[in-house]
Amino acid sequence: MKNKIDSLVKEAEIFVAKSLNDLECFRIQFLGKKGSISSLFQDFKNVPVDHRKEIGQKINALKSLIEETIYQEKLKLSGTYTSEDGKDLSLPGDDLSLGSRHPISLVRNDIIEIFNRQGFIISEGPEIENDEHVFSKLNFSPEHPARDMQDTFFIERQSADNSHPGDILLRTHTSSVQVRVMENQKPPIRTISPGRVFRNEAISARAHCIFHQIEGLYIDSNVSFADLKQTLLYFSKAMFGEETKIRLRPSFFPFTEPSAEMDVSCKICNGKGCNVCKYTGWLEVLGCGMVDPNVLENCNIDSSAYTGFAFGMGVERIAMLKYQVNDLRMYFENDVRFLEQFSYSL
Ligand code: DAH
């Protein structure tokens, strides 16, 4: 009997479970109802009294060894879970490819966040507008070229019977939201208006018939051009880096007087001149100016009590500067190979 126990000990010592099934067979072989341990205990009845202590201890030691072996082998296999149909459930799953925000959304959110910090809150207006909000209240004279068929998508031309006031059209700029805000709110007003705009242009690398703008408007008593400059300088540094310089060039817009275009120093070449800035050291970023008193009056704001500034920028333009992707069409084609480059890395 001693020999039998010793050989079972050896067998247990070298046992390695290849699978949970294998381990279960081992358990049944030793600890099952008709297993080796139970048959040893059967035989134990016949062991002479003076050997009982020694044999009893040996059987108990074997039993502990078996239990320990089962425990250890189970631990080793514990990474492997097999489903009923034999699939290894412990295998890692397929990578989930995370979507990403569109680069235009990323840039728009950045811009909004920077102006939020300066107290500008978002306001929005409709994409389908009328002539009044897009042009006439913004001081565009009736024969202004921007109203031309070439630029504007008209939905309904002014009816001969005057059943609706002026043309119905797709807004060509977000400056229309300025008008709606001023019509509905009393100063102080400090708002930014992000949105889609539409122009009847042939699609090319540099032009698209749909693009995105962000309009800014600040109306209060004593708002000056210096306030405009500081606000835009703060924005430019936050957007393009602390070392960024700005310059304002005189320009013309019907709704601002004086008007300016703002350039930022080219951060690709640090102002030395490169092909991105066309060797000028400067990049044009936005249009701006002091709100023309006519516009204030058109929107029932007393121009003797209030002044204000406004600015408008193209989101695609800022994205082009930020990501150096200079073909506008890339932002609209939704080519996954392009969009993937903006995915978050975990
Ligand atoms: N609306 C102008 C455009 O679409 C941009 C602009 C220029 C907006 C000057 C403004 C501004 O508010 O003051 O080109």
Side-chain angles (χ1 to χ4, degrees), residues 266-309:
C266 178
K267 76 170 186 186
I268 310 293
C269 62
N270 287 325
K272 284 188 208 79
C274 65
N275 60 351
V276 175
C277 62
K278 301 202 189 75
Y279 301 94
T280 61
W282 296 95
L283 298 160
E284 189 187 319
V285 168
L286 54 81
C288 60
M290 300 305 292
V291 179
D292 192 302
N294 283 342
V295 174
L296 295 175
E297 295 295 336
N298 289 342
C299 303
N300 300 322
I301 290 179
D302 181 356
S303 64
S304 62
Y306 295 105
T307 52
F309 66 68

Side-chain angles (χ1 to χ4, degrees), residues 138 140 172-176 178 197 199 211 213-217 228 252-253 255-256 258-261 286-291 309-314:
L138 285 167
F140 282 81
T172 55
H173 56 179
T174 44
S175 303
S176 54
Q178 273 193 38
V197 300
R199 288 185 197 177
F211 55 101
Q213 288 190 332
I214 294 191
E215 184 80 12
L217 177 71
L228 170 63
F252 175 80
F253 298 102
F255 37 93
T256 44
S259 304
E261 273 169 316
L286 54 81
C288 60
M290 300 305 292
V291 179
F309 66 68
F311 56 86
M313 66 184 96

Side-chain angles (χ1 to χ4, degrees), residues 40 97 129 141 181 203 208 218 321:
L40 283 174
S97 63
E129 264 292 6
S141 55
V181 171
I203 295 169
H208 212 286
Y218 180 24
L321 299 178

Side-chain angles (χ1 to χ4, degrees), residues 2 45 93 106 135 210 218 221-222 227 232 253 258 306:
K2 258 196 214 164
K45 289 179 204 142
L106 293 174
F135 297 127
I210 304 176
Y218 180 24
S221 45
N222 294 322
D227 298 319
L232 295 180
F253 298 102
Y306 295 105

